[in-house]
């Protein structure tokens, strides 16, 4: 609540009815209660018990809650950076609480999941900084889809607890552009902001195969981060081919069984790619025809390979624990 009170209020203070922390908390609670719109929130929360409870929470005597238009008009004027600052402060408090130390990778690195998601689309042009995709190009069924797309960095605190740490929109900021903004460009901006905000945090980034490139390896090396990312043989063919050939020489292949499945894995350390060394891991489960491949700069051994698979597969939590609720 103290952080909400510290946000710069852009309104004329002579004409306000509600303090800004009341507006922000009402909006936050409507999201927590899965109320799908602010119009519905005005109807569902505007009862005596809810008004009293929110007033107690905010330290204010409220006769009624702010109307949804009041909240939206306030949010349109506030700087998003101020709300991002609150999120980062809350994350810092969670990390310093020592309550989630067991979530660390190899007892050291905090796992940050990075991925993008589309949050709205239309065949009509949208307001603001949209991106677009052309479908069925060159055919009589060609059409343009306009959408908003956001890139999220989420912190893993537990198998079932994934929290937003930073947001970066993929957006075209000018009316005319030669090349569209894209997820990788947004990721570079996001990673730079993460390093500036959490300069000493030991981070291990998990992402999909889009990030299997020299630019990503270079950024992680510059920021002193580690990574475990998904890999597809088409992402960097030279790494895949070298992995296959070295597997026959190093003979790290092994099988195992847990309560759930019979599995097998293979791995190779120190594969050269440009000026970088990467380690490649292949994991298969009985009954599943599609193996999982991971690239990492963490050393792989028979003792830690299954733990590495676990952390690599945990990237899906950004969908299950993150985007589904967020949307």
């Amino acid at each position: 609540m103290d952080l909400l009170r510290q946000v710069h209020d852009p309104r004329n203070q002579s004409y306000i009815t509600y303090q800004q922390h009341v507006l922000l908390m009402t909006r936050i609670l409507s999201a927590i209660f899965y109320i799908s719109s602010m119009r519905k929130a005005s109807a569902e929360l505007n009862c005596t018990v809810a008004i009293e409870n929110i007033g107690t929470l905010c330290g204010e005597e409220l006769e009624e809650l702010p109307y949804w238009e009041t909240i939206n008009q306030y949010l349109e004027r506030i700087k998003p950076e101020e709300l991002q600052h609150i999120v980062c402060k809350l994350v810092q408090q969670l990390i310093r609480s020592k309550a989630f130390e067991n979530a660390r990778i190899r007892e050291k690195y905090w796992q940050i999941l990075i991925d993008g998601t589309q949050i709205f689309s239309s065949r009509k042009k949208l307001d603001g900084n949209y991106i677009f995709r052309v479908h069925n190009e060159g055919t009589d069924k060609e059409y343009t889809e306009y959408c908003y797309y956001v890139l999220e960095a989420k912190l893993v605190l537990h198998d079932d607890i994934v929290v937003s740490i930073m947001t970066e929109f993929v957006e075209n900021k000018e009316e005319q552009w030669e090349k569209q903004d894209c997820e990788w460009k947004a990721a570079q901006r996001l990673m730079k902001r993460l390093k500036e905000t959490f300069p000493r945090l030991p981070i291990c980034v998990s992402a999909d195969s889009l990030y299997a490139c020299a630019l990503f390896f270079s950024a992680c090396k510059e920021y002193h981060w580690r990574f475990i990312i998904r890999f597809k043989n088409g992402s960097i063919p030279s790494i895949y081919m070298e992995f296959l050939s070295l597997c026959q020489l190093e003979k790290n292949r092994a099988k195992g069984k847990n309560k759930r499945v019979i599995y097998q894995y293979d791995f190779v350390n120190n594969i050269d790619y440009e000026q970088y060394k990467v380690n490649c891991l292949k994991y298969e489960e009985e009954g599943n025809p599609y193996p999982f491949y991971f690239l990492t700069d963490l050393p792989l051994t028979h003792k830690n390979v299954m733990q590495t698979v676990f952390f690599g597969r945990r990237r899906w939590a950004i969908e299950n624990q993150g985007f589904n609720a967020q949307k």
Side-chain angles (χ1 to χ4, degrees), residues 285-303:
E285 291 182 349
E286 187 177 77
N288 186 349
Y290 304 104
F292 294 90
Y293 290 89
F294 300 97
L295 287 183
T296 181
D297 61 343
L298 294 169
L300 296 173
T301 68
H302 288 285
K303 290 184 177 181

Side-chain angles (χ1 to χ4, degrees), residues 9-19 70 73 77:
D9 194 339
R11 301 172 297 167
N12 187 324
Q13 298 301 298
S14 300
Y15 299 99
I16 65 171
T17 302
Y18 299 98
Q19 296 297 319
T70 303
Q73 288 170 3
R77 298 178 62 186

Side-chain angles (χ1 to χ4, degrees), residues 153-217:
K154 296 186 183 291
L155 174 68
V156 180
L157 298 174
H158 182 274
D159 293 346
D160 300 318
I161 305 176
V162 178
V163 298
S164 291
I165 186 171
M166 195 164 285
T167 301
E168 180 72 36
F169 275 86
V170 182
E171 55 188 4
N172 299 309
K173 295 187 176 181
E174 304 292 339
E175 185 63 29
Q176 300 294 330
W177 55 82
E178 294 183 3
K179 291 185 178 181
Q180 285 204 89
D181 196 16
C182 66
E183 183 173 330
W184 172 238
K185 291 179 182 177
Q188 290 174 293
R189 300 193 297 269
L190 179 67
M191 293 170 71
K192 183 174 183 292
R193 289 170 53 211
L194 267 174
K195 183 61 179 179
E196 291 171 350
T197 307
F198 301 92
R200 297 182 180 180
L201 188 68
I203 288 175
C204 180
V205 178
S206 290
D208 60 25
S209 57
L210 170 69
Y211 295 81
C213 64
L215 286 173
F216 175 75
F217 302 151

Side-chain angles (χ1 to χ4, degrees), residues 32-83:
I32 290 173
F33 299 149
Y34 283 77
I35 301 175
S36 59
S37 71
M38 280 310 300
R39 191 190 296 267
K40 288 183 179 179
S42 292
E44 294 187 26
L45 294 179
N46 223 350
C47 62
T48 302
V49 175
I51 293 170
E52 289 179 356
N53 286 337
I54 294 175
T56 300
L57 185 62
C58 295
E60 301 281 338
E61 290 187 11
L62 301 176
E63 295 182 0
E64 60 181 2
L65 293 181
Y67 193 53
W68 66 273
E69 284 186 324
T70 303
I71 298 175
N72 282 351
Q73 288 170 3
Y74 165 75
L75 289 174
E76 285 175 356
R77 298 178 62 186
I78 195 174
K79 292 182 178 179
E81 293 80 10
E82 298 224 36
L83 300 182

Side-chain angles (χ1 to χ4, degrees), residues 198-251:
F198 301 92
R200 297 182 180 180
L201 188 68
I203 288 175
C204 180
V205 178
S206 290
D208 60 25
S209 57
L210 170 69
Y211 295 81
C213 64
L215 286 173
F216 175 75
F217 302 151
S218 174
C220 288
K221 184 176 181 179
E222 178 185 350
Y223 297 151
H224 303 287
W225 294 350
R226 312 308 289 263
F227 62 84
I228 304 173
I229 60 175
R230 284 294 307 275
F231 179 61
K232 295 180 180 178
N233 54 22
S235 302
I236 306 179
S238 61
I239 290 180
Y240 179 71
M241 296 305 296
E242 188 167 353
F243 171 73
L244 293 181
S245 62
L246 290 175
C247 280
Q248 300 175 10
L249 297 174
E250 298 194 7
K251 302 185 184 304

